Amino acid sequence: MRRSGSILSGAAARRLPERVPDGSIRRAENQSRTGEAVADVKRVVVLVSGHGSNLQALLDAAAEPASGMAVVLVVADRPGAHGLERARRARVDTAVVRPADHPDRRSFDLALRDLVAAARPDVVCLAGFMRILGPEFVRAFPGRILNTHPSLLPAFRGAHAVREALAYGVKVTGCTVHLVDEEVDHGPVVFQEAVEVRPDDDRDALEERIHEVEHRLLPAAVRALGEGRVVVEGRTVRVLQEAPR
Ligand code: GRF
């Protein structure tokens, strides 16, 4: 098996079967835009675990003319993540790093860190990535990792935010896009927007309305961070209209 985190040459990658070994990059075919070719385009690496609707929002935003950003790599922690398929369709390189292929959490973190670092990201975006990232990963990209969370943090941290908001009976929940620090769902808030909880809501209905908001806020935050318009003072974030000169 290929060493975790290794990167294949273009020619070798073209010979790859559908399933590639853990940590290897599957090069997208007929790449139209990788960020290499266009000056000043901000390079975005996206980490996913599942459906990837937020990834799709980022891919769509990046495909807009003059978006100024390109998703250069999508990494999943499991080969079945639908987000990988979305990336392939958008001709973006993909990779899978599975915790099960590593002896402990630290070595998983290091493999992921090295893979992501090799893509030289301006922004690392967690878009439904259901793993807690350790300090080795977080410290490698200081102030450059964004996460989207389906609640108004600090309420309902963790993996079941929508279910817990419904169970608690809150009338308002929402979405938070925040910078990632070494605590879970904790870093400085970049954008936050409320979503009303309706009396007849079930999890799917509420989640869908939260997603609509996330799909707008996450690309805006990625773009602002990439363009240097996110100013952090302690826990307070200001998003500038224009990058400081
Ligand atoms: C989003 O609601 C995000 O807030 C949470 O996981 C969900 C991922 O959805 N962290 P998708 O995979 O982007 O559709």
Side-chain angles (χ1 to χ4, degrees):
M1 187 187 250
R2 199 167 282 274
R3 189 176 62 81
S4 173
S6 65
I7 297 175
L8 301 181
S9 71
R14 275 191 289 280
R15 291 194 300 273
L16 280 176
E18 190 61 21
R19 278 277 168 87
V20 296
D22 177 66
S24 299
I25 290 188
R26 184 183 194 274
R27 297 285 177 206
E29 284 169 24
N30 306 318
Q31 267 175 313
S32 50
R33 189 170 182 213
T34 64
E36 299 283 1
V38 190
D40 277 346
V41 164
K42 301 304 173 190
R43 300 171 62 83
V44 182
V45 172
V46 186
L47 274 53
V48 296
S49 295
H51 187 56
S53 68
N54 282 287
L55 164 66
Q56 190 64 55
L58 289 166
L59 291 167
D60 293 347
E64 293 281 317
S67 74
M69 63 182 180
V71 178
V72 293
L73 177 66
V74 171
V75 186
D77 58 344
R78 51 186 204 91
H82 182 60
L84 292 169
E85 186 50 40
R86 294 179 189 269
R88 286 177 202 131
R89 262 191 266 134
R91 298 174 182 172
V92 171
D93 289 350
T94 57
V96 177
V97 183
R98 298 191 319 156
D101 290 330
H102 299 274
D104 52 33
R105 223 186 91 180
R106 186 168 180 272
S107 71
F108 168 76
D109 274 346
L110 292 175
L112 193 60
R113 179 197 68 185
D114 293 348
L115 186 71
V116 171
R120 294 178 288 109
D122 296 294
V123 179
V124 179
C125 188
L126 313 185
F129 187 67
M130 303 309 280
R131 303 267 160 200
I132 295 170
L133 292 167
E136 278 83 5
F137 188 95
V138 175
R139 285 175 202 164
F141 310 101
R144 282 189 287 147
I145 312 175
L146 283 170
N147 181 42
T148 176
H149 183 78
S151 77
L152 295 176
L153 289 173
F156 307 118
R157 288 158 81 170
H160 306 292
V162 179
R163 192 172 77 194
E164 287 172 12
L166 280 171
Y168 199 89
V170 293
K171 304 297 185 202
V172 174
T173 183
C175 151
T176 304
V177 177
H178 65 95
L179 290 161
V180 171
D181 64 11
E182 291 179 35
E183 281 182 58
V184 178
D185 297 333
H186 175 267
V189 174
V190 178
F191 290 131
Q192 202 162 39
E193 196 171 304
V195 173
E196 182 197 2
V197 181
R198 296 177 185 158
D200 56 348
D201 263 343
D202 60 14
R203 205 176 94 190
D204 287 350
L206 179 56
E207 204 159 50
E208 194 178 318
R209 294 203 309 286
I210 294 173
H211 268 152
E212 282 172 22
V213 176
E214 291 188 299
H215 297 169
R216 188 161 36 79
L217 296 190
L218 186 62
V222 169
R223 198 167 171 171
L225 188 60
E227 290 173 359
R229 292 188 286 112
V230 171
V231 180
V232 186
E233 284 152 12
R235 282 208 55 91
T236 305
V237 173
R238 278 184 305 130
V239 179
L240 308 176
Q241 291 300 314
E242 287 185 21
R245 286 167 189 273

